[in-house]
Amino acid sequence: MSSTTGSSAQGGVGGSGGPHSLAFRVMRLCRPSFQVDTPLLIDPLDLLTGEDILVNPIAASQLPNLFKQNPITITTNTETVPDLTFRNRYQLLNPSDAIGLSGLLVLPQAFGAIYLGETFCSYISINNSSSFEVREVVIKAEIQTEKQRILLLDTSKAPVESIRAGGRYDFIVEHDVKELGAHTLVCTASYNDGDGERKYLPQFFKFIVANPLSVKTKVRTVKENTFLEACLENHTKTNLYMDQVEFEPAQNWTAKVLKADEHHSLSNSKTREIFKPPILIRAGGGIHNYLYQLTMSSHGSPRMKIEGSNTLGKLQITWRTNLGEPGRLQTQQILGTPTPKRELELKIVEVPSVIILERPFMVRLNLTNQTDRKMGPFEIFFLQSDPKEDKAVIVNGLQTMDISHLEAFSSTDLNLNLIATRLGVQKITGITVFDVMEKKTYDPLPDLEIFVNCE
């Protein structure tokens, strides 16, 4: 349902001198609101019973009968009709009456607030208040912001043939609001008046676009995972029902939303599979938090990972108000913690699921050249900080692995044969890369925990 309200936006008139036969009236099309009357009603039972009536089991069992109420009527000679007098105006006839909803809808009496992401819809009427007909009316309507002018209507190719005396011409324009700040709805008309004189009428209607939501983000990195927390705060005067708050990851990322575990009765409900209730963010400062787990795609090229690793993605937010008016926002690109550029990346790709004490097992490694030049040759070895310390995981075979040159942005896989010498949770530590040509030792691979079983 839509309604029209007289514009309270600031308007102005310009154009050629002298009085004009035509004038614009701008009315905003928007949904009505519920009529809420704060009632001061009483239940007659409150006057007859005390607060301790539920303490007595016998009295409590008779309570439903006391609450049975019949509609108040007046019996005449011919029929029984409802009592429409005011003698029962303070009586609570139905428990739902305490809500204060009368069942009526109220048309907005003001232009109202306009928020970013909404669709501004306006009903415009151009009225002929003169006593003669005007002809060849060319009408234009456009939205002017601080950055651009957007044409909404132009009848120059098909002018309105005539508007009779006392008549009007109506039309509707829509605009998706994508900018904050001052907006001006510019309505212009050029026409021939009763004397055949060509006149030009411009009128301006100004309004302000506010931000409905503020989005605050926090980024935390834990090992290979990045966690993004988004806090949405409602700045409007009405409740917002969030249809969708989706994170669109950048090309080299994957995202998964993290939610609290639901009660089994809700998670197994077939109704929730069909109808997903929206998330409510209350008016005037209500907040809701969303948590996303981001993971770097393993199939992304090294060049992509270096150039785009700082850009995580953006949020797509859609919502509706109390009576279903939609809104949509898209955030700017969210940036993560800057990743230092490394020439080489050595990582463990695969580890056996079961490792037996004093039995060889194979660990698959991957070495990636993240530069735009050829590098190598390399040696991979175990760096031992304390030579006297006995390691729980040692190399089975040659202590050093030789790798030939790596082309720019290329990678190679290699297998490392190891043996665990202790039971329980142990660490693979000290795997290091050495550049033979540049005589440079790179940072060792981060420690990896494994569990060693007995036979």
Side-chain angles (χ1 to χ4, degrees), residues 204-436:
F204 309 92
F205 302 88
K206 298 180 180 181
F207 57 92
I208 302 295
V209 174
N211 203 341
L213 292 167
S214 64
V215 183
K216 300 177 182 178
T217 59
K218 294 181 181 178
V219 179
R220 296 287 185 272
T221 301
V222 181
K223 294 184 179 181
E224 297 296 327
N225 293 318
T226 299
F227 296 93
L228 169 67
E229 179 186 357
C231 177
L232 274 60
E233 182 176 355
N234 182 2
H235 293 301
T236 70
K237 296 181 180 180
T238 181
N239 293 334
L240 297 182
Y241 299 88
M242 312 310 292
D243 285 338
Q244 179 184 13
V245 181
E246 181 179 354
F247 182 77
E248 293 186 356
Q251 187 175 3
N252 51 325
W253 290 91
T254 58
K256 179 178 71 173
V257 61
L258 302 180
K259 298 181 179 179
D261 294 335
E262 294 182 337
H263 192 272
H264 64 86
S265 62
L266 297 177
S267 59
N268 298 330
S269 174
K270 294 183 178 180
T271 305
R272 291 179 65 88
E273 296 178 1
I274 301 174
F275 173 73
K276 182 180 179 181
I279 294 175
L280 169 64
I281 303 182
R282 297 191 178 277
I287 62 173
H288 191 84
N289 293 288
Y290 297 84
L291 183 62
Y292 302 90
Q293 180 181 353
L294 311 179
T295 307
M296 181 77 75
S297 301
S298 59
H299 58 271
S301 66
R303 183 190 299 270
M304 182 192 306
K305 291 182 180 181
I306 294 173
E307 296 177 352
S309 59
N310 196 29
T311 301
L312 301 179
K314 54 190 175 183
L315 286 168
Q316 296 280 0
I317 306 170
T318 59
W319 69 86
R320 292 186 179 273
T321 58
N322 288 334
L323 288 169
E325 286 187 286
R328 179 180 179 273
L329 281 181
Q330 181 185 85
T331 65
Q332 296 179 344
Q333 292 286 354
I334 299 173
L335 303 180
T337 305
T339 304
K341 183 177 179 180
R342 294 184 294 178
E343 294 180 343
L344 285 178
E345 181 184 24
L346 178 65
K347 60 183 179 181
I348 296 178
V349 178
E350 185 179 355
V351 178
S353 58
V354 178
I355 298 175
I356 305 299
L357 179 68
E358 296 181 350
R359 284 192 180 180
F361 65 93
M362 198 73 68
V363 173
R364 188 157 63 94
L365 306 176
N366 178 269
L367 181 63
T368 303
N369 178 5
Q370 300 189 132
T371 67
D372 56 358
R373 69 183 189 276
K374 186 177 180 180
M375 296 185 67
F378 303 102
E379 292 181 354
I380 295 182
F381 62 94
F382 266 82
L383 180 64
Q384 195 165 0
S385 57
D386 186 1
K388 298 181 180 180
E389 181 184 359
D390 293 333
K391 284 200 169 185
V393 181
I394 60 176
V395 178
N396 180 31
L398 296 176
Q399 299 296 309
T400 302
M401 298 182 63
D402 296 328
I403 300 175
S404 60
H405 295 83
L406 278 178
E407 299 294 334
F409 300 111
S410 65
S411 63
T412 183
D413 289 345
L414 53 142
N415 295 320
L416 189 61
N417 198 347
L418 304 175
I419 290 181
T421 60
R422 297 177 191 169
L423 290 172
V425 178
Q426 306 298 337
K427 290 183 179 180
I428 301 176
T429 63
I431 302 178
T432 309
V433 181
F434 175 72
D435 191 325
V436 178

Side-chain angles (χ1 to χ4, degrees), residues 92-106:
L92 187 65
L93 300 179
N94 191 293
S96 63
D97 294 340
I99 302 176
L101 293 177
S102 62
L104 301 178
L105 295 175
V106 179

